[in-house]
Amino acid sequence: MKIDLHIEGERRQRAIQRVRERNIIIPTFAQMKDPTLIPNKIKESLKPVGLWDVNPRNLFRITWKNEPVPQGGLYHGVNFIELPSSLTGTEARVIALVGKWFPTGAHKVGAAFGCLVPRLVTGQFDPTTQKAVWPSTGNYCRGGAYDSALLACESIAILPEGMSRERFDWLAKIAGEVIATPGSESNVKEIFDKCWELRNSGEDLMIFNQFDEFGNYLWHYEVTGHAMEEVLQKVMGPRDTYRGMASATGSAGTIASGDYMKQLFPGSKIVASEALQCPTLLENGFGAHRIEGIGDKHVPWIHNTKNTDIVVAIDDEAVVNLSRLFNEPAGRSYLVKKGVPEGIVSQLDLMGFSGISNVLSAIKMAKYYELGENDIVLTVLTDSMELYGSRLREMHAEFGEYSETDAAAHFARYLKGQSTDNMLELNYTDRRRVHNLKYFTWVEQQGKTYEEIQDQWYERDYFSDVQKQVPEIDALIEEFNHDVGLVK
Ligand SMILES: Cc1ncc(COP(=O)(O)O)c(C=O)c1O
């Protein structure tokens, strides 16, 4: 399988013209991995620009390495946090990459970039005539609408009506159009239905479906994968071993970083997590849940199921209660009393709901494999509590003041008491069972063919062919920038 990179000459010319008029320069994957490659002139121009500003130079902030400031920051190392065992209840070292410091407050701007930019620089997507459609459970359409605005493309964001208020309020200002589909987090089918409606409407659009776009897979494989590698280089002592990573599979983009890491550390593991209230991977299940961003009731087309070692389902009750423990004053002071360093407690708002779920998945992984103090497990905090303030207020209104008794109960039950329940280590047949589930979404409903689904399982190079495409895409970006003529 390869991302289609054929050139459409005339459309590409129109894209070049548009990009030149708007003073846009597009970063390469190499620059997103390593911002030291970004020319000083561009760095200078970033100084007066806020992290979330709709300014084309913020394309150069699609990186894990932004300085953690809302205004005028440049670059440093990868943003990450190591969680102590006083919090996690495991001796293993649990380390999480921090997504809050991407523009929009979530790393999905990178996934969206990975989908849009190859189409733009080849001329397959024409920003002068087409609209970019971003179907998502939240952050991907925020990222897509934002990237579109930076790249002078019109956009349509699609997300379920039940997602948090913050997402809608912000999108209303950035996207050309916002479409709310019925249901909540796990109603992905309704999003796909809306896409078909749009396709059939005759409007000139291109749908960037994160669930089957390999640009999403590739961005995480390359950029998030390298960020993980760098974190390890920084923190790993001579006696330490990297044991693997845990990630929810919303679109199964983030988990592609595990493929990269497994190539570097062949003994490492990949843990895919989902909500217990919608255990699709674990038991072909379905249901509604509150871990915003991780969708489900289907297996994304881009999920490399052959490489998944464990599936784990996380109770959304644990996630919402821990969000209170981590953010309510009584929760924080209880954690300090229990010996969690204040410097860590004050940063617990770096975890959005799916981040908490990912950390719990990492803890369960550590317990399952009986990991100790020299074992490292990585995970990812896609977004932060910045996007869930309204949820905290809703819980406050519904359940009242958060007390020390609540804190003690939640700490004991959901952190110290976290067990290895709702986990399944996958053997070959289990992996194929998860892969086979793709049939019902992708072949029956979404137009993939029987041959494609067979190839995905039986063709040895299916995913590795995509992984090799970064140099080709970077060359196309450089050529495009050159033809635009703004980079000297
Ligand atoms: C908050 C949040 N967490 C997790 C995910 C899942 O990441 P991925 O889609 O890369 O699997 C998403 C995806 O949109 C998200 O918005």
Side-chain angles (χ1 to χ4, degrees):
M1 216 313 284
K2 281 196 161 178
I3 297 170
D4 178 4
L5 296 175
H6 81 275
I7 303 285
E8 300 264 350
E10 264 181 48
R11 288 161 158 261
R12 182 175 173 277
Q13 274 315 320
R14 285 201 291 272
I16 286 173
Q17 179 69 21
R18 163 71 65 93
V19 161
R20 188 183 297 133
E21 283 161 13
R22 306 284 176 96
N23 187 25
I24 296 165
I25 303 169
I26 305 177
T28 58
F29 277 65
Q31 289 169 325
M32 289 185 277
K33 282 188 303 189
D34 179 7
T36 64
L37 301 174
I38 296 171
N40 284 336
K41 221 170 134 190
I42 292 178
K43 287 185 190 155
E44 276 304 311
S45 68
L46 273 172
K47 284 188 180 159
V49 178
L51 183 64
W52 290 38
D53 287 0
V54 180
N55 178 316
R57 287 299 169 272
N58 264 343
L59 289 165
F60 286 87
R61 288 202 171 114
I62 302 182
T63 173
W64 288 99
K65 296 183 170 176
N66 290 319
E67 282 179 329
V69 288
Q71 184 76 34
L74 286 175
Y75 308 104
H76 68 161
V78 174
N79 290 308
F80 72 91
I81 180 169
E82 177 158 1
L83 300 171
S85 46
S86 53
L87 183 77
T88 61
T90 165
E91 286 303 312
R93 299 179 64 186
V94 175
I95 299 175
L97 268 58
V98 170
K100 177 185 163 93
W101 300 108
F102 280 89
T104 78
H107 70 44
K108 302 291 294 189
V109 283
F113 177 100
C115 297
L116 176 59
V117 165
R119 303 272 185 91
L120 185 70
V121 299
T122 52
Q124 292 175 29
F125 177 75
D126 179 352
T128 66
T129 60
Q130 292 185 293
K131 290 181 182 168
V133 181
W134 301 99
S136 139
T137 53
N139 282 324
Y140 175 75
C141 71
R142 289 175 69 250
Y146 182 80
D147 290 353
S148 301
L150 266 44
L151 288 159
C153 306
E154 274 198 63
S155 66
I156 301 178
I158 307 179
L159 74 168
E161 61 191 0
M163 303 305 291
S164 75
R165 199 61 261 151
E166 286 84 344
R167 286 169 160 84
F168 280 101
D169 291 347
W170 184 84
L171 269 170
K173 290 182 263 164
I174 303 291
E177 191 181 337
V178 181
I179 299 176
T181 48
S184 67
E185 183 50 46
S186 60
N187 292 78
V188 176
K189 167 74 165 55
E190 287 75 359
I191 300 171
F192 290 160
D193 290 348
K194 179 52 77 180
C195 289
W196 282 109
E197 207 182 299
L198 288 173
R199 270 187 202 104
N200 295 333
S201 71
E203 210 180 336
D204 196 1
L205 344 127
M206 188 170 273
I207 295 176
F208 294 94
N209 184 346
Q210 59 169 338
F211 303 95
D212 79 346
E213 284 275 346
F214 276 91
N216 175 13
Y217 174 92
L218 186 60
W219 190 86
H220 281 293
Y221 172 85
E222 187 71 10
V223 182
T224 308
H226 274 89
M228 287 183 165
E229 180 185 4
E230 281 187 43
V231 169
L232 282 190
Q233 280 163 357
K234 186 153 185 194
V235 303
M236 210 149 125
R239 287 162 50 82
D240 290 339
T241 308
Y242 167 66
R243 294 297 181 185
M245 60 88 73
S247 171
T249 55
S251 65
T254 312
I255 202 167
S257 56
D259 286 4
Y260 177 81
M261 293 301 286
K262 207 186 256 200
Q263 285 163 346
L264 293 184
F265 299 89
S268 67
K269 303 288 185 192
I270 298 176
V271 175
S273 71
E274 61 184 351
L276 181 61
Q277 284 70 14
C278 184
T280 307
L281 306 175
L282 189 66
E283 49 182 76
N284 304 355
F286 46 87
H289 67 87
R290 295 169 289 172
I291 310 178
E292 297 188 34
I294 70 170
D296 228 333
K297 284 194 204 156
H298 80 289
V299 179
W301 182 248
I302 61 170
H303 185 169
N304 187 5
T305 58
K306 256 191 181 171
N307 220 10
T308 300
D309 298 289
I310 285 191
V311 293
V312 54
I314 302 296
D315 188 350
D316 70 0
E317 195 63 17
V319 172
V320 295
N321 282 317
L322 287 178
S323 76
R324 299 195 82 197
L325 176 69
F326 291 170
N327 293 284
E328 293 274 6
R332 287 190 164 193
S333 53
Y334 181 78
L335 289 172
V336 173
K337 237 191 232 175
K338 297 307 281 184
V340 183
E342 271 180 65
I344 294 292
V345 173
S346 64
Q347 294 186 71
L348 292 177
D349 57 345
L350 289 175
M351 293 181 217
F353 284 2
S354 75
I356 297 172
S357 177
N358 274 350
V359 167
L360 293 178
S361 308
I363 294 170
K364 286 169 93 73
M365 172 184 176
K367 292 197 169 170
Y368 185 90
Y369 287 117
E370 302 177 296
L371 303 183
E373 60 183 356
N374 294 119
D375 297 313
I376 297 177
V377 178
L378 294 179
T379 192
V380 174
L381 312 178
T382 303
D383 62 13
S384 72
M385 220 47 206
E386 200 170 8
L387 297 179
Y388 305 92
S390 62
R391 294 292 187 226
L392 278 182
R393 289 191 291 278
E394 283 162 19
M395 287 189 275
H396 205 96
E398 192 176 348
F399 306 112
E401 197 69 35
Y402 193 76
S403 66
E404 181 163 325
T405 317
D406 293 326
H410 295 153
F411 183 63
R413 176 162 180 197
Y414 298 125
L415 283 168
K416 294 288 160 170
Q418 198 52 250
S419 71
T420 55
D421 59 357
N422 305 312
M423 298 182 81
L424 178 70
E425 189 168 7
L426 305 183
N427 63 25
Y428 183 84
T429 320
D430 297 321
R431 290 178 171 127
R432 199 176 54 202
R433 190 258 304 159
V434 177
H435 167 78
N436 288 345
L437 267 184
K438 289 184 181 177
Y439 178 86
F440 303 98
T441 302
W442 297 105
V443 181
E444 274 197 351
Q445 298 167 14
Q446 305 301 330
K448 302 284 184 207
T449 63
Y450 174 82
E451 287 69 32
E452 283 174 301
I453 194 164
Q454 293 291 85
D455 279 357
Q456 211 185 70
W457 185 258
Y458 290 106
E459 213 189 86
R460 180 207 288 251
D461 294 325
Y462 193 92
F463 284 83
S464 63
D465 278 350
V466 177
Q467 293 162 7
K468 291 180 200 132
Q469 285 187 282
V470 171
E472 201 183 338
I473 294 173
D474 270 358
L476 286 165
I477 294 172
E478 278 171 356
E479 215 176 303
F480 186 90
N481 283 335
H482 175 267
D483 292 351
V484 170
L486 296 171
V487 191
K488 300 280 179 293

